[in-house]
Each structure stands twice: as C-alpha cells, then as structure tokens.
Amino acid sequence: MAARILRIRLPLVFVAIFGMVASGDATLGTGKDLDPNSSADWLGVIAGDEAGSEIELAAEMAELFATDSPFRVVPVPGDSGLNNISRLLHDPHIDAGFVSTDVLADSETQSSVPNLAASLQVVARLCPQEVHVLAQAGIDSLADLAGKKVNFGTDGGSSAVTARTLFRALNIEVEPVALDGRAAIEQLTQGAIAASVFVGAKPMPVIAGIPANQGLHLLPVAFGAGLEAVYLPTGFDHDDYPNLIEMETEIPSVATGVALLAAASKDDPGHADRVAQLVDTLFSHFGELKKDGRHPKWREINLAASLPGWTRAPAAEAWLAQHEDARKGTQAKIEAGAVQSNLPVSQNQRDVLFEQYIEWQRAKGH
C-alpha cells in the first residue's frame, strides 16, 4: 500500500481567524462574531495539537460545509484534554471538541471538573488513539527510559494524561517534561530529551514527516505487564510510518479512545442549534469522509457507538432514531491496525472489547 501523504487541509477562509480563536483571545459572543464580515454562523471545533491527527480530522469535518453555506465550522488547535473541556464549557466560540477517554476517566479531571458527565454530551465516539513513544537511537525499550527526560506533552493534555498513566502502570520512573509536538521533535533531534509520548490517530503527521535519517524510532509498547486492564492492543507497520518502520515489521503498542463532545448547555441560545446543524451535516455526509484521500481513521468509526456512562447529545440521538439503518447496519471497524494475535477474531468481539474498556475507564478512573 502506498504511503498516504498527510497534510492539514484548512480552507483559506479559516486562516484569518484561526490564531485568534485558537488562543481564546477573540471577543466573546456568538459564533457569528468569529468573522464580522460574514453572515455565516460559525461553530468552533477544538481538536488537538497543531501537529497531531485530531486537527486534521477537524479540518476534514469542516470541508463538509460548502463555502456558500450559511453555517461554517472552524477547526481550533487544542490539547484533547483539560483545556478542551474548559473551552467546551465556557468559551462561546467552541461548541464541540475532541476529548480523550483517558482524560475523561482520569481522577484528576473528575476532581477538577465536578459533574463532568452531566455537563458534556457525546456527539460521536470516534476512533481509538494509538500511543506512540518516539525515542533517540540507543533507547531500545521503555525500561531504558528510567531516570531520563521524557516529554509527556502539554500539561493536562491527552498525551500527558496517557503518558502518566502508562509509566505509572509499568512502574517506570522518568523525568517528565511538557512540550508540544513540534518542540518535542526538535528536542529529540538535539538530544535534550530521550523520548516523547504522542497520543493520536495513526498516522500522525508530526511522526509521519520525520526523515528516515533522523535517528529516531518508535519503541514497542507490549500489551501486558499491567496494561491489559487499561488499554487496547494495537501496533504500527511500514504502511503507517514508512520512514521509520521497515517492510514486514510490526511494532506493538496500545491505544486509548477519543470522543467528539459538546456542552449540555451554554449561555448562548444558538449553541444547541449549531450542534444540531453540525450533527446533521457530519452524520448525513459521513460517507464523504471515508473516501480515499481522507484520514484513514474515518473508516473505523461507527456513529451509532455509545460511550458508557455518558449521554448522547439530543441532536445525535434524534438523527440516529430517524436513520435506524445507521444503528442496524454493518459495524464500522473500531480497533484499526491492531496486532492480530492479541485481538478477538470477529468485529462484534472487537466492539464488545472496546465497550468493556470504556466502561472500565468510567468505573475505575486512573
């Protein structure tokens, strides 16, 4: 399979407002305030790091809305973590966002945001997010990182929460640092840190773009040794990262989950309508996102999948009720690229496994 060329396809109309909304510095008001020269109603979808997969997924969602549509979506860089949760709840420019299920289940998140499950609703449960541990030459295992500097990602972000959980489960003590994706790659190549943890849908642009001669490689994360109760098994191969992985080579890893969420209510009378329009366009045209040239993770998403312990947004529930075939049809793949020897054979068993994993996260926290 030819390697897919990754790029962030942000429509030009977004560029002028992108930085303003990303920083949260825009004048507060309704979605229409994002572009005072436009009569369109805007909806901000906060995603992940600018170098990650979630911002690309959000940009591809935005492309479903025609340039002459009265309703537009702007993808906003975020952290898929606590910052996204805060802006979902309080920023009038953000109506929907990506949040890691690790972050939702994390005990620190639950203590810092009381009644979180009542404050946020599920628009769609998205794809598993693979855990990438990128390391310098000479580091051959996670155990080799003991006592060394390892980037966990920005504080409160999805990578930081997952990295903390991962190393705690493996009883490996490292010296965490907090860098964004591009800064982490720079620090790795300079030898300032030993490794960096990235959590995102493979292939991640920031990793796929690393030249073969950079001296960096992905470490194996074996499913087991305390991880079987926390994560799902998965892996990487040459098709995912041709610059880093030789042909016919598999590198085992683990995965967590991510969901597209919206606030249950806001002090903005247009919020519910904007979310409803997002749902109608996204769900009705979801097939467009599964075509060649789009991020391959769209092909793994089942819009009817639930997130145990969380309420589905009314607009999503209503759309699914009106399109019963979406509930009864063939299940989309949920765990992509998984190490086959570690996964059940049938898709139904894989779906059940993922449901049990999400339920475990909700009940236990970590």
Side-chain angles (χ1 to χ4, degrees):
M1 180 188 302
R4 175 174 171 272
I5 298 175
L6 295 170
R7 59 192 179 97
I8 304 298
R9 291 181 295 271
L10 290 175
L12 291 177
V13 70
F14 296 156
V15 174
I17 60 175
F18 189 76
M20 175 181 68
V21 181
S23 65
D25 293 335
T27 302
L28 298 184
T30 67
K32 290 184 180 179
D33 293 334
L34 287 173
D35 184 356
N37 298 318
S38 173
S39 61
D41 205 5
W42 290 87
L43 179 148
V45 175
I46 191 163
D49 188 296
E50 291 182 50
S53 301
E54 293 93 341
I55 194 68
E56 184 178 13
L57 294 172
E60 291 181 344
M61 284 172 49
E63 289 185 348
L64 296 177
F65 295 83
T67 56
D68 59 351
S69 170
F71 180 76
R72 306 296 301 281
V73 167
V74 57
V76 179
D79 67 355
S80 298
L82 284 173
N83 176 61
N84 283 21
I85 290 174
S86 176
R87 295 189 68 180
L88 278 168
L89 295 175
H90 306 297
D91 189 335
H93 289 147
I94 302 298
D95 288 297
F98 292 67
V99 180
S100 161
T101 57
D102 257 7
V103 174
L104 293 176
D106 185 59
S107 57
E108 292 185 15
T109 302
Q110 294 174 4
S111 62
S112 63
V113 189
N115 303 315
L116 184 60
S119 301
L120 294 175
Q121 296 174 332
V122 177
V123 174
R125 193 186 82 190
L126 302 177
C127 49
Q129 303 274 278
E130 287 79 17
V131 177
H132 305 68
V133 183
L134 191 67
Q136 292 180 325
I139 303 291
D140 298 320
S141 69
L142 293 179
D144 291 343
L145 295 173
K148 294 181 170 62
K149 289 184 178 181
V150 177
N151 178 51
F152 279 17
T154 55
D155 291 338
S158 60
S159 290
V161 172
T162 295
R164 185 181 69 235
T165 303
L166 174 69
F167 285 100
R168 181 183 296 164
L170 296 174
N171 294 314
I172 299 174
E173 293 189 11
V174 299
E175 183 180 343
V177 296
L179 302 168
D180 64 29
R182 298 197 186 282
I185 298 294
E186 182 178 349
Q187 293 284 295
L188 271 171
T189 56
Q190 294 174 354
I193 60 176
S196 180
V197 178
F198 299 87
V199 178
K202 66 177 184 181
M204 292 186 69
V206 69
I207 297 176
I210 296 173
N213 60 355
Q214 201 77 22
L216 304 179
H217 65 286
L218 289 165
L219 292 180
V221 182
F223 182 66
L227 299 185
E228 66 276 350
V230 187
Y231 296 112
L232 294 168
T234 186
F236 310 114
D237 60 22
H238 177 78
D239 287 339
D240 299 319
Y241 300 108
N243 290 347
L244 300 180
I245 303 175
E246 295 181 356
M247 294 187 67
E248 300 183 1
T249 299
E250 290 187 350
I251 299 176
S253 191
V254 294
T256 182
V258 68
L260 182 64
L261 305 178
S265 63
K266 270 190 169 181
D267 293 333
D268 177 359
H271 168 68
D273 288 341
R274 291 193 295 274
V275 172
Q277 290 181 71
L278 172 68
V279 167
D280 185 62
T281 300
L282 174 62
F283 285 28
S284 298
H285 300 280
F286 195 70
E288 293 292 317
L289 297 174
K290 297 185 177 184
K291 293 182 177 179
D292 290 343
R294 302 290 192 176
H295 197 290
K297 280 290 186 178
W298 290 117
R299 302 183 190 122
E300 304 166 20
I301 296 171
N302 172 18
L303 292 175
S306 61
L307 189 67
W310 295 80
T311 302
R312 200 188 304 272
E317 187 64 44
W319 191 96
L320 291 169
Q322 293 170 8
H323 301 79
E324 201 61 27
D325 56 322
R327 292 186 188 272
K328 296 179 179 178
T330 302
Q331 294 293 302
K333 291 183 178 179
I334 300 299
E335 285 83 44
V339 180
Q340 293 301 313
S341 60
N342 290 328
L343 278 177
V345 175
S346 75
Q347 181 62 52
N348 285 340
Q349 286 175 308
R350 291 199 292 272
D351 290 347
V352 169
L353 176 62
F354 197 38
E355 292 282 358
Q356 291 173 343
Y357 159 67
I358 297 293
E359 179 64 31
W360 180 90
Q361 281 192 317
R362 183 184 70 84
K364 288 282 192 181
H366 40 70

